[in-house]
Amino acid sequence: MKKETGVTIVSLIMYVGALLIIAIIIGNITTFFYNNVVSISDSSDYSNAYSKINLSILSLLKESNITNIEIGNYEKKEDIYTFIPSENNIGTAMKVTIGTGEDADVKIIALIEKQIYLNRVLLGENITSFNLSEEHESYEDKENYKIAMNIRIGKESYTHTYTSKVE
């Protein structure tokens, strides 16, 4: 009878060990898939933010009757943010003037504390880098602007060049 008891305890230990190994393997596989789902979700959020920013800049620069485009920085002084034009046409903000005189509409896209705003509307979050640069040339009585945008949202980097005509 003692031999049967020993075999039963050994087989019980083997069953428990096998179930423990299977549980560990299933846990590792589940963790692997969950981490990839989170990674895909983050990448999707970054792509959505870039699409919103890109569409906003594109629609702004395709407005008719643009009279001025300036690149600069948005700086905080005494709890008030102010647009400061750049001397070398490189910065983290863009000021677009549409129309002239009292009817002029000024729109500013700017990086403020890792978020991009169009005037007061939030376009994207988790912005780790946002740089704009501008080149312009005269052609047929109009100024042609090329604006290059380099942006990093989370772990994803994007680059785009826009063109616009200024009257």
Side-chain angles (χ1 to χ4, degrees):
M1 286 273 239
K2 287 187 179 184
K3 288 185 180 181
E4 291 176 13
T5 304
V7 170
T8 306
I9 291 175
V10 169
S11 53
L12 179 63
I13 292 172
M14 288 176 56
Y15 285 132
V16 169
L19 287 174
L20 185 61
I21 290 171
I22 290 171
I24 290 171
I25 290 171
I26 290 173
N28 285 338
I29 291 172
T30 302
T31 302
F32 173 76
F33 282 115
Y34 177 74
N35 288 341
N36 283 343
V37 166
V38 170
S39 176
I40 290 170
S41 175
D42 287 346
S43 180
S44 174
D45 291 343
Y46 302 150
S47 179
N48 288 340
Y50 171 72
S51 295
K52 192 173 183 181
I53 294 164
N54 184 36
L55 181 62
S56 296
I57 293 173
L58 187 61
S59 63
L60 178 61
L61 293 176
K62 293 302 176 188
E63 290 266 348
S64 61
N65 201 20
I66 293 177
T67 55
N68 192 24
I69 297 175
E70 290 180 278
I71 301 294
N73 294 303
Y74 220 49
E75 295 182 7
K76 186 176 184 178
K77 292 182 182 177
E78 299 176 8
D79 294 333
I80 297 174
Y81 284 96
T82 306
F83 179 81
I84 299 173
S86 171
E87 294 178 11
N88 59 0
N89 294 331
I90 297 173
T92 59
M94 178 173 54
K95 180 178 177 182
V96 178
T97 306
I98 303 166
T100 57
E102 291 181 15
D103 295 335
D105 185 19
V106 176
K107 297 191 178 184
I108 297 175
I109 291 182
L111 175 66
I112 302 172
E113 298 175 5
K114 296 190 176 186
Q115 298 174 332
I116 293 183
Y117 289 89
L118 171 59
N119 290 344
R120 293 183 178 175
V121 177
L122 177 65
L123 298 179
E125 299 177 305
N126 297 324
I127 312 298
T128 53
S129 172
F130 180 67
N131 296 307
L132 296 165
S133 62
E134 164 202 326
E135 295 178 20
H136 64 277
E137 58 187 35
S138 295
Y139 179 72
E140 294 181 3
D141 297 332
K142 290 192 176 187
E143 291 284 325
N144 290 328
Y145 283 79
K146 281 187 181 178
I147 297 167
M149 176 186 70
N150 294 313
I151 187 170
R152 184 169 177 85
I153 306 172
K155 300 174 186 174
E156 303 290 326
S157 294
Y158 304 94
T159 301
H160 196 88
T161 302
Y162 306 93
T163 58
S164 183
K165 292 184 179 179
V166 176
E167 297 179 1

